[in-house]
Amino acid sequence: MRRDLPGSTLGFEDTYPQGAETLMAALFAGGDLMLSQVSHISGLEPYVIQNWVARGFLPPPVSKKYSRRQLSRILIVHMLKGVLPLESIVSLLSYVNGHLDDVSDDTVDDSRLYIWLIECISAPPGGEEEALGRCLAEYQEPFPGARRRLEQVLRIMMTAYAAAELKKKAQSMIDGLDAK
């Protein structure tokens, strides 16, 4: 089944387990991305992305180029901002990865977190917990309790994604009402 890559303008085929991973790898096959490319992929205006960098939500680009890790963070924030306040998203990501403008204290690479999120939300109904277990099976804790934090954050993100989908469905239903 074709679905939107969460937080982006792109679609991917989720009928095979590595659909999102393959798409993300292809995006970076030629190296890191320019702001215009990140803007196009995310659907965000360039000034929004630059504002997030200025506010410390992600590390600044290197030589004006954004890494896969940075794009993943941008897509996560963009996906969650439809249902959570920006301050809550920052707190959530800081809970698992410390200072958001410094990757040296991260417990998980944002690109890995993003792919795990996609794997969990792409699971068949009722299979989310099994998918979460598969994703975290190989995770090596950098400190005791890191896995528990990561699990909590992924569950919150999965719930927020489901809420965003329900919000879209409700809006679609409202848009479909007969005008009388």
Side-chain angles (χ1 to χ4, degrees):
M1 171 170 67
R2 190 134 180 98
R3 72 168 50 226
D4 291 338
L5 192 65
S8 83
T9 60
L10 305 175
F12 75 102
E13 193 64 41
D14 75 347
T15 54
Y16 65 100
Q18 299 300 319
E21 175 63 41
T22 301
L23 176 58
M24 289 294 282
L27 289 173
F28 288 88
D32 290 346
L33 304 176
M34 299 299 292
L35 178 60
S36 61
Q37 294 169 300
V38 172
S39 176
H40 179 75
I41 291 166
S42 67
L44 293 167
E45 293 294 331
Y47 74 88
V48 172
I49 297 164
Q50 291 169 323
N51 179 273
W52 290 357
V53 171
R55 292 177 68 184
F57 299 164
L58 65 147
V62 176
S63 300
K64 298 185 179 186
K65 292 193 172 192
Y66 290 80
S67 68
R68 178 176 169 165
R69 185 178 213 155
Q70 290 166 305
L71 175 65
S72 295
R73 169 84 53 86
I74 290 165
L75 297 179
I76 289 169
V77 172
H78 186 47
M79 179 200 78
L80 295 175
K81 75 179 183 67
V83 291
L84 294 174
L86 206 47
E87 294 74 25
S88 295
I89 297 167
V90 169
S91 294
L92 179 68
L93 293 174
S94 295
Y95 180 72
V96 77
N97 273 343
H99 297 283
L100 298 184
D101 59 352
D102 178 9
V103 298
S104 68
D105 63 349
D106 288 2
T107 60
V108 65
D109 184 305
D110 287 292
S111 58
R112 180 74 348 233
L113 179 64
Y114 184 64
I115 293 298
W116 284 343
L117 173 63
I118 293 169
E119 288 178 20
C120 291
I121 62 178
S122 297
E128 297 88 353
E129 286 299 315
E130 183 181 324
L132 182 59
R134 269 193 319 274
C135 290
L136 297 179
E138 304 288 322
Y139 178 69
Q140 299 294 313
E141 286 187 314
F143 61 86
R147 179 188 166 97
R148 180 186 54 75
R149 283 178 175 239
L150 189 52
E151 232 177 285
Q152 289 174 311
V153 166
L154 279 166
R155 280 198 175 95
I156 291 166
M157 291 168 72
M158 289 164 39
T159 302
Y161 176 80
E165 291 299 300
L166 287 172
K167 185 177 174 182
K168 280 193 259 183
K169 182 177 179 180
Q171 186 60 54
S172 176
M173 292 167 73
I174 289 169
D175 294 344
L177 292 174
D178 293 334
K180 293 189 181 192

